Amino acid sequence: FDCYSFDHATRVEDEDGLHRSVKWINEIISKEETDYGIPSERIVVGGLSQGSATSVLTTITSERPIGGLFILSGYIPFRKKLSQIATSFSKNTPIYWGHGIEDTQVDYKTWKGLAEVFAGQLGLPFRAASSSMRVSGEEIQKNGPLALHFHSYEGLEHWMNKQEIQDLAVWLYVLLPEVSRVFTPASFGAYGVVSKIGTSEQ
Protein backbone atom coordinates (compact mmCIF):
# COMPACT_ATOMS: atom_id res chain seq x y z
CA PHE A 1 0.00 0.00 0.00
CA ASP A 2 1.04 3.62 -0.46
CA CYS A 3 2.35 5.90 2.27
CA TYR A 4 1.13 9.44 1.74
CA SER A 5 3.34 10.88 4.50
CA PHE A 6 5.55 9.79 7.40
CA ASP A 7 3.27 11.39 9.96
CA HIS A 8 1.85 8.00 10.89
CA ALA A 9 -0.31 9.28 13.73
CA THR A 10 -2.41 11.72 11.68
CA ARG A 11 -1.91 10.95 7.99
CA VAL A 12 -4.58 9.94 5.48
CA GLU A 13 -4.34 6.19 4.87
CA ASP A 14 -4.39 4.29 1.60
CA GLU A 15 -7.55 2.41 2.54
CA ASP A 16 -7.88 0.45 -0.72
CA GLY A 17 -4.24 -0.63 -0.63
CA LEU A 18 -4.39 -1.68 3.00
CA HIS A 19 -7.54 -3.71 2.51
CA ARG A 20 -6.02 -5.42 -0.55
CA SER A 21 -3.03 -6.40 1.59
CA VAL A 22 -5.31 -7.72 4.34
CA LYS A 23 -7.24 -9.77 1.78
CA TRP A 24 -3.97 -11.31 0.60
CA ILE A 25 -2.92 -12.25 4.15
CA ASN A 26 -6.34 -13.76 4.85
CA GLU A 27 -5.99 -15.86 1.70
CA ILE A 28 -2.67 -17.19 3.04
CA ILE A 29 -4.28 -18.03 6.40
CA SER A 30 -7.15 -19.81 4.65
CA LYS A 31 -4.68 -21.82 2.57
CA GLU A 32 -2.82 -22.89 5.71
CA GLU A 33 -6.13 -24.05 7.18
CA THR A 34 -7.46 -25.90 4.15
CA ASP A 35 -4.26 -27.29 2.63
CA TYR A 36 -2.29 -28.10 5.78
CA GLY A 37 -4.90 -28.39 8.51
CA ILE A 38 -3.41 -25.61 10.63
CA PRO A 39 -6.21 -23.83 12.54
CA SER A 40 -6.16 -20.05 12.51
CA GLU A 41 -5.71 -19.91 16.29
CA ARG A 42 -2.29 -21.56 15.72
CA ILE A 43 -1.24 -18.90 13.19
CA VAL A 44 0.66 -15.78 14.26
CA VAL A 45 0.79 -12.76 11.97
CA GLY A 46 3.23 -9.88 12.18
CA GLY A 47 5.80 -7.75 10.46
CA LEU A 48 8.08 -4.76 10.44
CA SER A 49 6.87 -1.19 9.80
CA GLN A 50 4.37 -1.36 6.92
CA GLY A 51 4.19 -5.13 7.39
CA SER A 52 3.17 -4.65 11.00
CA ALA A 53 0.48 -2.15 10.02
CA THR A 54 -1.01 -4.65 7.58
CA SER A 55 -0.83 -7.38 10.24
CA VAL A 56 -2.55 -5.12 12.80
CA LEU A 57 -5.42 -4.44 10.40
CA THR A 58 -5.67 -8.15 9.53
CA THR A 59 -5.94 -9.02 13.22
CA ILE A 60 -8.38 -6.34 14.36
CA THR A 61 -10.78 -7.05 11.48
CA SER A 62 -10.44 -10.83 11.62
CA GLU A 63 -13.60 -12.92 11.53
CA ARG A 64 -11.75 -15.89 13.03
CA PRO A 65 -9.40 -16.36 15.98
CA ILE A 66 -5.75 -15.48 15.36
CA GLY A 67 -3.02 -17.06 17.47
CA GLY A 68 -1.05 -13.87 18.01
CA LEU A 69 0.15 -10.59 16.55
CA PHE A 70 3.67 -9.19 16.59
CA ILE A 71 4.53 -5.59 15.74
CA LEU A 72 8.11 -4.44 15.11
CA SER A 73 8.66 -0.67 14.83
CA GLY A 74 5.04 -0.48 13.78
CA TYR A 75 1.92 1.60 13.98
CA ILE A 76 -1.85 1.21 13.95
CA PRO A 77 -3.75 2.08 10.78
CA PHE A 78 -7.31 3.43 11.10
CA ARG A 79 -6.81 3.78 14.86
CA LYS A 80 -9.58 6.42 15.07
CA LYS A 81 -12.00 3.90 13.56
CA LEU A 82 -10.98 1.08 15.86
CA SER A 83 -14.28 0.91 17.72
CA GLN A 84 -16.09 0.49 14.40
CA ILE A 85 -13.84 -2.16 12.84
CA ALA A 86 -12.47 -4.25 15.74
CA THR A 87 -14.05 -7.70 15.99
CA SER A 88 -14.52 -9.76 19.13
CA PHE A 89 -11.73 -12.08 17.96
CA SER A 90 -9.21 -9.21 17.97
CA LYS A 91 -9.87 -8.64 21.66
CA ASN A 92 -8.62 -12.13 22.45
CA THR A 93 -5.32 -11.99 20.58
CA PRO A 94 -1.97 -11.79 22.42
CA ILE A 95 0.27 -8.99 21.08
CA TYR A 96 4.03 -8.48 21.15
CA TRP A 97 5.25 -4.97 20.24
CA GLY A 98 8.97 -4.28 19.92
CA HIS A 99 10.19 -0.76 19.17
CA GLY A 100 13.60 0.91 18.95
CA ILE A 101 14.01 3.89 21.27
CA GLU A 102 15.98 5.73 18.57
CA ASP A 103 13.26 5.20 15.94
CA THR A 104 12.37 8.61 14.51
CA GLN A 105 10.59 7.32 11.40
CA VAL A 106 7.81 5.70 13.41
CA ASP A 107 8.39 7.84 16.47
CA TYR A 108 9.07 5.76 19.58
CA LYS A 109 7.54 8.06 22.20
CA THR A 110 4.42 8.74 20.14
CA TRP A 111 3.73 5.11 19.42
CA LYS A 112 4.52 3.79 22.87
CA GLY A 113 1.75 6.06 24.13
CA LEU A 114 -0.62 5.07 21.35
CA ALA A 115 0.17 1.39 21.90
CA GLU A 116 -1.10 1.76 25.46
CA VAL A 117 -4.27 3.43 24.14
CA PHE A 118 -4.63 0.59 21.62
CA ALA A 119 -4.40 -2.01 24.39
CA GLY A 120 -7.09 -0.21 26.34
CA GLN A 121 -9.38 -0.07 23.33
CA LEU A 122 -9.06 -3.84 22.94
CA GLY A 123 -9.50 -4.41 26.68
CA LEU A 124 -6.01 -5.91 27.00
CA PRO A 125 -3.51 -5.32 29.80
CA PHE A 126 -0.58 -3.14 28.72
CA ARG A 127 2.70 -4.57 29.97
CA ALA A 128 5.69 -2.37 29.20
CA ALA A 129 9.17 -3.58 30.09
CA SER A 130 12.21 -1.37 30.57
CA SER A 131 14.87 -1.50 27.87
CA SER A 132 17.17 -3.51 30.15
CA MET A 133 14.65 -6.31 30.68
CA ARG A 134 14.58 -9.38 28.48
CA VAL A 135 11.38 -11.26 27.74
CA SER A 136 10.75 -13.89 30.39
CA GLY A 137 8.84 -16.99 29.38
CA GLU A 138 8.11 -17.74 33.03
CA GLU A 139 6.61 -14.28 33.55
CA ILE A 140 4.42 -14.58 30.46
CA GLN A 141 3.19 -17.98 31.63
CA LYS A 142 2.56 -16.65 35.15
CA ASN A 143 0.57 -13.58 34.05
CA GLY A 144 -0.91 -15.12 30.91
CA PRO A 145 -0.03 -14.22 27.31
CA LEU A 146 -3.28 -12.33 26.64
CA ALA A 147 -1.89 -8.80 26.85
CA LEU A 148 -0.04 -6.23 24.79
CA HIS A 149 3.61 -6.80 25.69
CA PHE A 150 5.61 -3.68 24.79
CA HIS A 151 9.41 -3.93 24.71
CA SER A 152 11.84 -1.08 24.10
CA TYR A 153 15.34 -1.42 22.62
CA GLU A 154 18.19 0.99 23.36
CA GLY A 155 20.19 2.20 20.37
CA LEU A 156 17.77 0.69 17.85
CA GLU A 157 16.41 2.84 15.05
CA HIS A 158 13.75 1.86 12.49
CA TRP A 159 14.78 -1.75 12.15
CA MET A 160 15.30 -4.82 14.37
CA ASN A 161 18.20 -6.40 16.19
CA LYS A 162 19.28 -9.74 17.63
CA GLN A 163 17.90 -9.08 21.11
CA GLU A 164 14.47 -8.12 19.76
CA ILE A 165 14.25 -11.24 17.60
CA GLN A 166 15.33 -13.47 20.46
CA ASP A 167 12.74 -11.84 22.73
CA LEU A 168 10.11 -12.41 20.06
CA ALA A 169 11.19 -16.06 19.86
CA VAL A 170 10.61 -16.48 23.61
CA TRP A 171 7.12 -14.99 23.27
CA LEU A 172 6.36 -17.37 20.39
CA TYR A 173 7.80 -20.26 22.37
CA VAL A 174 5.25 -19.63 25.15
CA LEU A 175 2.41 -18.84 22.76
CA LEU A 176 2.79 -22.05 20.72
CA PRO A 177 3.83 -24.69 23.26
CA GLU A 178 3.72 -27.59 20.80
CA VAL A 179 6.48 -25.92 18.80
CA SER A 180 8.56 -25.94 21.98
CA ARG A 181 8.98 -29.70 21.66
CA VAL A 182 10.97 -29.22 18.46
CA PHE A 183 12.59 -25.79 18.86
CA THR A 184 14.00 -23.72 21.67
CA PRO A 185 14.47 -19.92 21.56
CA ALA A 186 18.23 -20.43 21.25
CA SER A 187 17.78 -22.66 18.20
CA PHE A 188 15.90 -19.93 16.37
CA GLY A 189 19.12 -17.92 15.96
CA ALA A 190 19.17 -14.21 15.38
CA TYR A 191 16.78 -13.83 12.47
CA GLY A 192 15.83 -17.21 11.01
CA VAL A 193 12.46 -17.83 12.65
CA VAL A 194 10.68 -14.62 11.75
CA SER A 195 9.06 -14.14 8.37
CA LYS A 196 8.20 -10.51 7.85
CA ILE A 197 4.98 -9.70 6.02
CA GLY A 198 5.58 -6.56 4.02
CA THR A 199 8.64 -4.35 3.99
CA SER A 200 10.02 -1.40 5.85
CA GLU A 201 9.03 1.99 4.54
CA GLN A 202 11.83 3.62 2.61
Side-chain angles (χ1 to χ4, degrees):
F1 62 92
D2 290 330
C3 300
Y4 298 136
S5 84
F6 287 113
D7 184 1
H8 301 85
T10 62
R11 73 184 185 189
V12 174
E13 300 282 4
D14 175 13
E15 295 199 23
D16 290 342
L18 274 159
H19 285 298
R20 279 195 303 271
S21 298
V22 168
K23 181 175 182 292
W24 175 65
I25 295 175
N26 275 314
E27 288 172 354
I28 294 173
I29 294 172
S30 294
K31 185 175 178 63
E32 293 294 316
E33 289 185 298
T34 57
D35 291 4
Y36 304 105
I38 301 173
S40 63
E41 58 267 30
R42 295 278 304 156
I43 296 173
V44 175
V45 298
L48 170 73
S49 192
Q50 280 183 274
S52 67
T54 307
S55 300
V56 168
L57 188 59
T58 301
T59 301
I60 64 177
T61 59
S62 181
E63 296 295 340
R64 56 190 159 188
I66 298 294
L69 165 68
F70 68 85
I71 302 165
L72 306 181
S73 294
Y75 55 96
I76 305 153
F78 308 144
R79 63 186 182 80
K80 294 182 180 179
K81 298 181 179 179
L82 191 68
S83 62
Q84 303 168 38
I85 63 176
T87 67
S88 58
F89 293 110
S90 68
K91 298 176 181 182
N92 288 284
T93 304
I95 301 172
Y96 174 91
W97 189 318
H99 214 116
I101 292 174
E102 308 305 322
D103 189 347
T104 57
Q105 188 162 315
V106 179
D107 183 72
Y108 167 78
K109 289 183 179 179
T110 299
W111 283 100
K112 182 180 181 183
L114 291 174
E116 186 169 6
V117 173
F118 179 51
Q121 290 172 314
L122 295 177
L124 296 176
F126 180 75
R127 296 179 183 151
S130 69
S131 59
S132 61
M133 291 181 63
R134 302 297 301 269
V135 173
S136 165
E138 290 183 358
E139 184 177 338
I140 295 172
Q141 288 175 325
K142 177 182 176 181
N143 297 318
L146 187 57
L148 193 159
H149 300 268
F150 191 98
H151 289 267
S152 307
Y153 296 91
E154 287 279 1
L156 181 61
E157 299 181 352
H158 190 64
W159 194 233
M160 54 190 170
N161 62 18
K162 181 177 180 179
Q163 180 180 330
E164 184 178 39
I165 298 305
Q166 290 180 337
D167 285 348
L168 174 59
V170 172
W171 178 77
L172 288 168
Y173 183 85
V174 175
L175 207 61
L176 303 173
E178 287 81 359
V179 175
S180 305
R181 299 172 187 167
V182 182
F183 298 106
T184 66
S187 74
F188 289 144
Y191 298 101
V193 73
V194 179
S195 297
K196 302 189 298 296
I197 298 172
T199 58
S200 175
E201 294 176 57
Q202 302 295 330

